[in-house]
Amino acid sequence: MAGYQMKRTARIALAPSVLLLIVGMIVPLATTLWLSFRFYNFMNPTLGGFAGLSNYEFFLTDPAFLQAIINTLLLVGGVLAITVIGGILLGLLFDQPMWGRGIARLLMIAPFFVMPTVSALVWKNMLMHPGYGIFAWIAMKLGLPPVEWLSNYPLLSIILIVAWQWLPFATLIFLTALQSLDHEQQEAARMDGAGPFDRFIYIILPHLGRAITVVILIETIFILAIFAEIFVTTSGGPGYASTNLPYLIYVQALMQFDVGAASAGAIIAVVLANIVAIFAIRLAGRNLTA
Amino acid sequence: MRKSIIAFGAALALGGAVSSASAEEIVIATVNNGDMIIMQKLSKEFEDQTGIKLRWVVLEENTLRERLAADIATKAGQYDVISVNSYQTQLWAKMGWLTKLDDFSASYDYDDFIPATRQSLSVDGVMYGAPFYGESLITFYRKDLFEKAGITMPEKPTLDDLAGFAEKITDRENGINGICLRGKPGWGENTPLITTFVSALGGEWFDMEWKPRLTSEPWRQAMDWYLDVMKKAGPVGAATNGYNENRVLFSSGKCGMWIDATVTAGYLLDPKESQVSDTTGFAPFPVTDKNPQAAGWSGAWALAIPASVTDNAAAAKKFIEWATSKEYARLVGEREGWLLAPSGTRKSTYALPEYQNVAEPFADKVLAAISAVNPTKPTVNEVPYTGAGFIDIAEFQALGTTIGQNIAAALSGSKTADEALQESQAYAERTMERAGYYKK
Amino acid sequence: MVRAATTGLGWLVALLLFFPILWTVLTSFKTEVEAIAFPPAFWPEGWTLENYFQVQERSEYFSHFLNSVIISLGSTILGMMVAIPAAWSMAFQPGRGTRHVLMWMLSTKMMPAVGALVPIFLIFKSVGLLDNLVGITLILLIGNLPIMVWMLYTYFREIPSDILEAARMDGATTLKELVYVLLPMSLPGVASTMLLNIILAWNESFWTLSLTAVKAAPLTAFIASYSSPQGLFWAKLSAASTLAILPILVVGWISQKQLVRGLTFGAVK
C-alpha cells in the first residue's frame, strides 16, 4: 500500500483525540483567559466591565499566594519522596519469595482503589482525630500526649494521606520493573563479590530509571491538582498552612465568588504547571519516547 | 386469605396511583444535619399525600453552600427547594434570586412564627425563607460537674464567670475539658461565635465608613478571652472542632460547658443521642455590661425556592408549606419524639402540652435567647450593616472564611492573636477596597 | 529463615497499609457509641447492620452506584475508541511532530481542573449538560484521554512493526489490522489501560461533585452527604464509605493480575 495513503490514515486516526483535547482545553482556557480580564463576581452582579490587569494583581498580592506555591511544591515533593523511596523498598521486599505473597500484595495495593474523599474522611476522623483516633490511642499507649495532626502538622498530614494512596501504585510499577531484571546478571555480580548495597546502586537502580520517571510523571500530574483531600480535612488551614494553588483558586471562585480573580489565578497556575510540566516532560520525554 | 387479597389489591391500586402521579418530581437540596434528615424521612408522608416525588441532594454544609451559590448565581435551576440560612436569605432575596413565600393558605398562620426568626428571613416584610428551625446561642453545662466543683451557674453568667468555671471543672486526666468552643474555621463556624463575643464586648466589624475595625480593643479582648480559656480548659485539636465535633464531645461527656446553637438542646436531652441527657443544664449566652443586648446570634435554617424555578414552583411551594407547618411539628413530635420537634420557629409548638412536657428544662430559655437578640442593632456603636452573628453583605462569606482561618491559626498556636487580627484587618481592607466600598 | 523474615516483614507492611480500610469496614458494623469508644474496641461487639439500613434508607445507593458504573465504563470505553487509533498512529506511523503531540497531550493534564470549573459550569449550563450523564462522561473522557493515549502508545511500541506489515501484505485493511493483529497482541496493555481508567474515573471527585446534582450523581456525591453531619456519625460514615469503595476494590482485586501486567508502561521493562 502506498506510504502516502498510510500517512493519511494515520492522521485521520489521530484526529479525534487531538480534536477532543483541543476543544476540551482551548475552550475553557480561552473562556478563563477572557474572564481573567473582567470584573465578575457571582454574588455581586453590579460589578462588571474590563478589569485590565487588576485581577492578576489582586491574585498575586494575595497574602496566601506565595505560601500556596510553596505548599504545592512541598506536597508534590513530599509525596514523591515518600512514594518513590518507599515504593522501591516495598518493590524489593515484595520481589522476595514469601508465604502468601499474593494475598499480602492484594492487601498492599488496596489503598490505590479508595476514593480520595473517602480516604481523607477516614484518616481525618478515624486515624488522626486527637480525641478518638487510632493514632491518639497509640500515643496514649506510649505514654505520649496525642498529636493534633490536622491543626499542628496540616501539610504533613495531607502528604501522609496522599502518599498512602499513591504508595501502592509506585510499588506496583517498581515491582513490575524488578521482575524483569536479569537475574543472571545479578548472580554474576554476586560472584564477583559485589555486596547487596553495590548491587542495588550499580544494577538495580539504573534498571529502575525508567520506572522512576514514569512514577514521577504520573504522580506529579495528579498531585499538582490535589484538592479533595485538603477540602475534606483542613480546608486549607489553619491560616494558609495547607492551602495549595488549586485550593486557593477554589477559595477565590467558590467561597469568595470572585470569578475574575479566580480566573487570573487559574491562568497563573497554568503557566506554573507548564513550567513544571516542561521539566517533568523533558526528563520523562527523553526516557519514554526515545 | 381474603384479607391478603384485599391488601394486595390495595397495594396495586396505591402503586398505580403513585406511579401515575409521579410525573411531578422536585429536587430538594439540604444540609445533612439532624433536623433535615428527619424531614427527609418523614417526607414519604408528603409523597403519599400529594403524589409529588421528592429527590434529595443531601450534602455537608460547606459543600452545599458552594453548590447552591453557583447554582443560584448562574440561574442553573438544578434545585427546586434549597435549604438556606438567614444570611443567604437576606442576601439572595435582595438580589431577586428567591421566590416570595407570602401566599400560603390561611391555616399556615404566618403570625405564629417567632418574630425574630421570621424577621431574619424576610426582606421588607415579605418572607423569602420559610423557617425550618430558628436558633440563637445558649450555654450548655454539666450540672454534675458543677456540683462536684462546688459552683453554681448564675442566672446571667458573664464571660469572666465562665472562664473561672471552665478552669475549675477541667480534669484532663479523666478526659473532662472545662469548655468546648468552635475552633474550626469558617463563616458559619468559628467566625460568628467570635463575632458575637466581640459584640458582647462592645465591638463591631466596620465603622460607618466601612473601615474594618478588627484590631480594635473589643476584638483583642475577645481573642484574649477565647484563646486563654481554650488553652486552659479546651479540648485537644480544638482548631478543627466545629459545631458537629463539639456536639459529639459534649454529648459523650467530654466537655463541662459548651456555648452553641440553641437547636441542640433537644438532642442533648435525648438519651439515644447523648450520654449526658440527665445532667445537662442550660444558661444564657455570657453577657458583659458593655453590651447586654448582644445575647446571641439570630440564625435560622429555612427552605426557599430559587427564582429561576418555574415549572416546579407550585409543587415546591406545596412541599415547603407542608414542611414548615404546624402539623409538621406535630408529626415530628409524634414520630421522632417531642424533644426533636423543630425549635425556635413556631410559638404554637411551645404551647403544646406534649412539647412542654419534655422540653420544659430548656424551652423557655431557648425562646428567651432567640427573642433577646436584635439583629437590626447588634452592636453598641452605630454600624452600616445588620445581622447578629453575620453581616448582610456579599463579601461576608469571603471575610468570614479568611478571618476564621486566622483565628484558627491563633488557636492552634501558629500565629499570635495580634498577628491573626492584623492579617485579618489587612485582608478585610483589601477585600472591601476591591469590592468598591471605598477608594484607598 | 530469610523467607520467614521477608514473609513477616511483607505481611506487616501489607497489613499496615490495609489497616485504614479494614478499620473502616469493622467500624461500619459497630454501633455509633462503640465507634467512638476510646480506647477503641477492635472487634464490633454486636456486628450490627443498622448503619447499612440507615444509609440505605437515607440515600438512593443503587442509583448512585449505577451512575458510577455508567460514567466510569462509559468514559473508558469511549475513550479507548478514540485513544486506540491515536496510539496506533503515533506508534506505527510516527511523523516528526509525534513526540511533541504526545507531550502536548500529557501537558493538558497539568492544567488545574479547578481553574476551568467556572467556564465549564457556564458552558454546561447553557447547553443543558449540568447533572447529565453524557456531560460528566465527556468531561472524564477528556480528562483521562492523555493518559490512555500515552499508555497505549508505550505498549504498541513494544510490538514489532514487521508483524503488522505482514498482515498488511496479506491485504488486511487498517481496521482489520488493528482489531485482529494489534489488539490481541497488546491485550495485557489494553486491559490494564482500561482498568486504570475505570479506577481513576470511579474515584474522580472534583468534576463529579461539581457538575452533578441528582440524576447523574455518582458515589462520590453519595459519600459527600456523610461527611461531618451532626451527632455521632463514625459508624454510618464507615458504612457509606464501605459501600462506596467496595465495588471498585473488588474489581481491582479480581483484575489485579491484568492491571499489574500492564502497568509496565512498555518502557519500564
CSV table of all heavy atoms in Angstrom, one decimal, chain A residues 14-37:
chain,number,residue,atom,x,y,z
A,14,LEU,N,-5.5,9.9,14.3
A,14,LEU,CA,-5.0,10.7,15.4
A,14,LEU,C,-6.0,11.9,15.6
A,14,LEU,O,-6.1,12.4,16.8
A,14,LEU,CB,-3.6,11.3,15.0
A,14,LEU,CG,-2.8,12.0,16.1
A,14,LEU,CD1,-2.7,11.1,17.3
A,14,LEU,CD2,-1.5,12.4,15.6
A,15,ALA,N,-6.7,12.2,14.6
A,15,ALA,CA,-7.5,13.5,14.6
A,15,ALA,C,-8.5,13.5,15.8
A,15,ALA,O,-8.6,14.5,16.5
A,15,ALA,CB,-8.2,13.7,13.3
A,16,PRO,N,-9.3,12.5,16.0
A,16,PRO,CA,-10.3,12.6,17.1
A,16,PRO,C,-9.7,12.9,18.5
A,16,PRO,O,-10.2,13.8,19.2
A,16,PRO,CB,-11.0,11.2,17.1
A,16,PRO,CG,-10.7,10.6,15.8
A,16,PRO,CD,-9.4,11.2,15.3
A,17,SER,N,-8.7,12.3,18.8
A,17,SER,CA,-8.0,12.6,20.1
A,17,SER,C,-7.6,14.0,20.2
A,17,SER,O,-7.8,14.7,21.2
A,17,SER,CB,-6.8,11.6,20.3
A,17,SER,OG,-7.3,10.3,20.6
A,18,VAL,N,-6.9,14.4,19.1
A,18,VAL,CA,-6.3,15.8,19.1
A,18,VAL,C,-7.5,16.8,19.2
A,18,VAL,O,-7.5,17.7,20.0
A,18,VAL,CB,-5.5,16.0,17.9
A,18,VAL,CG1,-5.0,17.4,17.8
A,18,VAL,CG2,-4.2,15.1,18.0
A,19,LEU,N,-8.5,16.5,18.4
A,19,LEU,CA,-9.6,17.4,18.4
A,19,LEU,C,-10.3,17.5,19.7
A,19,LEU,O,-10.6,18.6,20.2
A,19,LEU,CB,-10.7,17.0,17.3
A,19,LEU,CG,-10.5,17.7,16.0
A,19,LEU,CD1,-11.4,17.0,15.0
A,19,LEU,CD2,-10.9,19.1,16.1
A,20,LEU,N,-10.6,16.4,20.3
A,20,LEU,CA,-11.2,16.4,21.6
A,20,LEU,C,-10.4,17.2,22.7
A,20,LEU,O,-11.0,17.9,23.4
A,20,LEU,CB,-11.3,14.9,22.1
A,20,LEU,CG,-12.7,14.2,22.0
A,20,LEU,CD1,-12.6,12.8,22.4
A,20,LEU,CD2,-13.7,15.0,22.8
A,21,LEU,N,-9.1,16.9,22.6
A,21,LEU,CA,-8.3,17.6,23.6
A,21,LEU,C,-8.2,19.1,23.3
A,21,LEU,O,-8.2,19.9,24.3
A,21,LEU,CB,-6.9,17.0,23.7
A,21,LEU,CG,-6.8,15.6,24.4
A,21,LEU,CD1,-5.5,15.0,24.3
A,21,LEU,CD2,-7.3,15.8,25.9
A,22,ILE,N,-8.2,19.4,22.1
A,22,ILE,CA,-8.1,20.9,21.7
A,22,ILE,C,-9.4,21.5,22.2
A,22,ILE,O,-9.4,22.5,22.9
A,22,ILE,CB,-7.9,21.1,20.2
A,22,ILE,CG1,-6.5,20.8,19.9
A,22,ILE,CG2,-8.2,22.5,19.9
A,22,ILE,CD1,-6.1,21.0,18.4
A,23,VAL,N,-10.5,20.9,21.9
A,23,VAL,CA,-11.8,21.5,22.3
A,23,VAL,C,-11.9,21.5,23.8
A,23,VAL,O,-12.2,22.5,24.4
A,23,VAL,CB,-13.0,20.7,21.7
A,23,VAL,CG1,-14.3,21.2,22.3
A,23,VAL,CG2,-13.0,20.9,20.2
A,24,GLY,N,-11.5,20.4,24.4
A,24,GLY,CA,-11.6,20.3,25.9
A,24,GLY,C,-10.6,21.2,26.6
A,24,GLY,O,-10.8,21.5,27.8
A,25,MET,N,-9.6,21.7,25.9
A,25,MET,CA,-8.7,22.5,26.6
A,25,MET,C,-8.8,24.0,26.1
A,25,MET,O,-8.9,24.9,27.0
A,25,MET,CB,-7.2,22.1,26.3
A,25,MET,CG,-6.2,22.8,27.1
A,25,MET,SD,-4.6,22.2,26.8
A,25,MET,CE,-4.1,23.2,25.4
A,26,ILE,N,-8.9,24.2,24.8
A,26,ILE,CA,-8.9,25.6,24.3
A,26,ILE,C,-10.1,26.3,24.8
A,26,ILE,O,-10.0,27.5,25.2
A,26,ILE,CB,-8.8,25.6,22.8
A,26,ILE,CG1,-7.5,24.9,22.3
A,26,ILE,CG2,-8.9,27.0,22.3
A,26,ILE,CD1,-6.2,25.7,22.6
A,27,VAL,N,-11.3,25.7,24.7
A,27,VAL,CA,-12.5,26.4,25.0
A,27,VAL,C,-12.5,26.9,26.5
A,27,VAL,O,-12.6,28.1,26.7
A,27,VAL,CB,-13.7,25.6,24.7
A,27,VAL,CG1,-15.0,26.2,25.2
A,27,VAL,CG2,-13.8,25.3,23.2
A,28,PRO,N,-12.2,26.0,27.5
A,28,PRO,CA,-12.2,26.5,28.8
A,28,PRO,C,-11.0,27.5,29.0
A,28,PRO,O,-11.2,28.5,29.7
A,28,PRO,CB,-11.9,25.3,29.7
A,28,PRO,CG,-12.2,24.1,28.8
A,28,PRO,CD,-12.1,24.6,27.4
A,29,LEU,N,-9.9,27.2,28.4
A,29,LEU,CA,-8.8,28.1,28.6
A,29,LEU,C,-9.1,29.5,28.1
A,29,LEU,O,-8.8,30.5,28.7
A,29,LEU,CB,-7.5,27.5,27.9
A,29,LEU,CG,-6.2,28.2,28.3
A,29,LEU,CD1,-5.9,27.9,29.7
A,29,LEU,CD2,-5.1,27.6,27.4
A,30,ALA,N,-9.7,29.6,26.9
A,30,ALA,CA,-10.0,30.9,26.3
A,30,ALA,C,-11.0,31.6,27.2
A,30,ALA,O,-10.9,32.8,27.4
A,30,ALA,CB,-10.5,30.7,24.9
A,31,THR,N,-12.0,30.9,27.6
A,31,THR,CA,-13.0,31.5,28.5
A,31,THR,C,-12.4,32.0,29.8
A,31,THR,O,-12.6,33.1,30.2
A,31,THR,CB,-14.1,30.5,28.9
A,31,THR,OG1,-14.4,29.7,27.7
A,31,THR,CG2,-15.4,31.2,29.3
A,32,THR,N,-11.5,31.2,30.3
A,32,THR,CA,-10.8,31.6,31.6
A,32,THR,C,-10.0,32.9,31.3
A,32,THR,O,-10.0,33.8,32.1
A,32,THR,CB,-9.9,30.5,32.1
A,32,THR,OG1,-10.7,29.3,32.2
A,32,THR,CG2,-9.4,30.8,33.4
A,33,LEU,N,-9.3,32.8,30.2
A,33,LEU,CA,-8.4,34.0,29.9
A,33,LEU,C,-9.3,35.3,29.8
A,33,LEU,O,-9.0,36.3,30.3
A,33,LEU,CB,-7.7,33.7,28.5
A,33,LEU,CG,-6.5,34.6,28.2
A,33,LEU,CD1,-5.4,34.4,29.3
A,33,LEU,CD2,-6.0,34.4,26.8
A,34,TRP,N,-10.4,35.1,29.1
A,34,TRP,CA,-11.3,36.3,28.9
A,34,TRP,C,-11.8,36.7,30.3
A,34,TRP,O,-11.8,37.9,30.6
A,34,TRP,CB,-12.5,35.9,28.0
A,34,TRP,CG,-13.4,37.0,27.7
A,34,TRP,CD1,-13.1,38.0,26.8
A,34,TRP,CD2,-14.7,37.2,28.2
A,34,TRP,NE1,-14.2,38.9,26.8
A,34,TRP,CE2,-15.2,38.4,27.6
A,34,TRP,CE3,-15.5,36.6,29.1
A,34,TRP,CZ2,-16.4,39.0,27.9
A,34,TRP,CZ3,-16.8,37.1,29.4
A,34,TRP,CH2,-17.2,38.3,28.8
A,35,LEU,N,-12.3,35.8,31.1
A,35,LEU,CA,-12.8,36.1,32.4
A,35,LEU,C,-11.7,36.8,33.3
A,35,LEU,O,-12.0,37.6,34.1
A,35,LEU,CB,-13.3,34.9,33.1
A,35,LEU,CG,-14.6,34.3,32.6
A,35,LEU,CD1,-14.9,33.0,33.3
A,35,LEU,CD2,-15.8,35.3,32.8
A,36,SER,N,-10.5,36.4,33.1
A,36,SER,CA,-9.4,36.9,33.9
A,36,SER,C,-9.2,38.4,33.7
A,36,SER,O,-8.5,39.1,34.5
A,36,SER,CB,-8.1,36.1,33.7
A,36,SER,OG,-7.5,36.5,32.5
A,37,PHE,N,-9.7,39.0,32.6
A,37,PHE,CA,-9.6,40.4,32.4
A,37,PHE,C,-10.9,41.1,32.7
A,37,PHE,O,-11.1,42.3,32.2
A,37,PHE,CB,-9.1,40.7,31.0
A,37,PHE,CG,-7.7,40.2,30.7
A,37,PHE,CD1,-7.5,39.1,29.9
A,37,PHE,CD2,-6.7,40.9,31.3
A,37,PHE,CE1,-6.2,38.7,29.7
A,37,PHE,CE2,-5.4,40.5,31.1
A,37,PHE,CZ,-5.1,39.4,30.3
